Amino acid sequence: MKLQHKFVEFIPEVLEDGILYISLTYCTAIHKCVCGCNNEVVTPFSPTDWKMTFDGETISLSPSIGNWNFTCQSHYFIRKSKIEFARIWSSDEINDGVKKDEKKKKSFFFKRKKKRK
């Protein structure tokens, strides 16, 4: 499955299937979940969240997208505008991943705060 991308300033109210909307102004991307559940997937760009690569033709997001709060719990990568499905994580893996993300954010913002003093 392939996603098209559109660079926009503002995210449209109605999202089209198969399109990754990217707002550099607001450092975020959004798309409909690729499993077809119609949930909106928001991927903010920051040192502790997702990173976007644009090679002039295709888009990649890193790390993977794990929709753990959705019923579908879909898990996939967006690499060179293509969807690569990944395995579904267990509840323990999801909980561990959430804890690692929280720890990474706390560490990052603590170091930033310390630098400003």
Side-chain angles (χ1 to χ4, degrees), residues 32-48:
K32 281 189 175 182
C33 183
V34 298
C35 83
C37 70
N38 284 325
N39 284 306
E40 294 180 358
V41 179
V42 179
T43 49
F45 307 140
S46 79
T48 62

Side-chain angles (χ1 to χ4, degrees), residues 12-40:
E13 286 191 35
V14 178
L15 304 182
E16 293 181 50
D17 290 330
I19 298 181
L20 178 67
Y21 298 92
I22 302 156
S23 173
L24 296 177
T25 304
Y26 295 100
C27 299
T28 196
I30 188 168
H31 65 284
K32 281 189 175 182
C33 183
V34 298
C35 83
C37 70
N38 284 325
N39 284 306
E40 294 180 358

Side-chain angles (χ1 to χ4, degrees), residues 42-56:
V42 179
T43 49
F45 307 140
S46 79
T48 62
D49 290 302
W50 282 270
K51 291 163 186 40
M52 189 252 325
T53 305
F54 175 59
D55 67 8

Side-chain angles (χ1 to χ4, degrees), residues 49-66:
D49 290 302
W50 282 270
K51 291 163 186 40
M52 189 252 325
T53 305
F54 175 59
D55 67 8
E57 291 183 15
T58 64
I59 297 287
S60 298
L61 294 182
S62 179
S64 65
I65 297 167

